[in-house]
Amino acid sequence: MIAAMDISIRKAERSKLQDLSLENIPFGKYFSDHMLEADYENGEWKNIEIKPYQPLLLSPSLAALHYGQAIFEGIKAYKDKEGHASIFRPQDNYHRFNISAERMQMPAVPEELFMEGMRLLVELDKNWIPEKEDHSLYIRPFMFSADEMIGVRPSETYKFMIILSPTGPYYSAPMRIYVEEKYVRAVPGGVGYAKAAGNYGAAMFATAEAKKKGYDQVLWMDAFEHKYVQECGTMNVFFIIGNTAITPNLDQGTILGGVTRQSTITLLKEMGLTVEERPLSIQDIMVAYKAGLLHEVFGTGTAATISPIKELRYKDFEMKFDVDTWKTAPTIKKWLTDIREGVREDKYQWMQKV
Ligand SMILES: *Cc1c(COP(=O)(O)O)cnc(C)c1O
């Protein structure tokens, strides 16, 4: 157990908020006054400190830079109309963080360090949670190997940190999506289910190629047959066919189990839709489209919540959607926003008070 008193707090002398307005700020560009930092050495977590946000001094031989033992999370904090701060489903992210840690042969982060450290940090920087509608404070916990030694082996030391970034409405224009048949994101037995840093670097080339062709993102397909849909960029993906919502199942370990995905499944059921988590082939999607049964396609993730897909390109076949007529995706987005901002009853107890 780490008692709250084991987390030392050193406050910034001056808040950067004096020079910054929190309206319509771009995603991930500004960081709050403080950060949390902790070191793993000799099998235990120590030097747990919340201190002014500042650069790190790192050795060029830092193991993480060479072999990529690095994982992260993405969580959001909101303020309700009365100004009370709460965090959306942080326990789920905590759980997933340690699943990622295990897969990358990294130590587990104790619950008290992750959860109480995050709570204390957000409480200290709660003025950084924008109060405007659709604005939030993005919380980025991360861990990386810290040995100063270029031998290929798991590091013996690690650093765990949390930083906070205020963010404006992450408006995602309806996306044009390229169904990717050459490059893959994840394979069974691989690390697709982990929020491991390398997964994102590995996806950038394919995404850039799709952009050159005029698309916003790729729809990843399964690695063996390029037949079953997986994820859309760094989001989980949903297809509404008739009165059924279908999203790929997680069993093969190739898909990141999103907290927004899980929340969306719950709310879709509340709306009265049937939800199926199962393999879905691009052929079946085309058949449904041609039959006029494919009503909505959208991605889900913490950053944008719900991102509608207006066009899906598979080989020479184009599927186009009239996003403005949709009912389901906008309802889910509104419900999630309302729960987060304290406007809709939080009946699943997703919001954790700071
Ligand atoms: C983070 C992430 C998601 C979405 O997860 P959320 O918990 O909903 O933010 C989906 N796919 C990938 C690859 C991700 O990294």
Side-chain angles (χ1 to χ4, degrees), residues 72-74 93 96 185 192 194-195 199-200 231-236 255-262 300-303:
F72 67 96
E73 269 304 328
N93 296 87
R96 187 171 70 193
R185 193 192 84 87
K195 241 174 156 61
N199 282 344
Y200 305 85
E231 298 201 55
C232 178
T234 59
M235 287 189 282
N236 295 118
I255 288 167
L256 198 291
V259 178
T260 320
R261 173 186 181 277
Q262 197 53 52
T300 65
T302 295

Side-chain angles (χ1 to χ4, degrees), residues 93-142:
N93 296 87
Y94 167 63
H95 181 66
R96 187 171 70 193
F97 192 75
N98 278 344
I99 290 175
S100 300
E102 182 183 42
R103 182 62 181 83
M104 298 304 291
Q105 191 54 36
M106 300 167 89
V109 170
E111 181 165 352
E112 292 76 13
L113 170 54
F114 190 102
M115 297 296 291
E116 183 61 9
M118 172 168 55
R119 195 194 66 75
L120 280 171
L121 181 63
V122 172
E123 187 176 46
L124 184 63
D125 278 347
K126 64 173 179 292
N127 288 344
W128 285 85
I129 310 177
E131 290 188 37
K132 284 195 65 185
E133 210 183 305
D134 262 349
H135 288 53
S136 59
L137 184 67
Y138 185 82
I139 305 169
R140 168 56 62 90
F142 59 104

Side-chain angles (χ1 to χ4, degrees), residues 20-31 165-170:
L20 186 71
S21 147
L22 292 186
E23 281 188 26
N24 296 313
I25 30 182
F27 180 81
K29 187 160 183 240
Y30 297 101
F31 297 93
S165 178
T167 164
Y170 191 105

Side-chain angles (χ1 to χ4, degrees), residues 197-211:
N199 282 344
Y200 305 85
M204 286 176 191
F205 183 75
T207 310
E209 293 287 294
K211 284 196 173 146

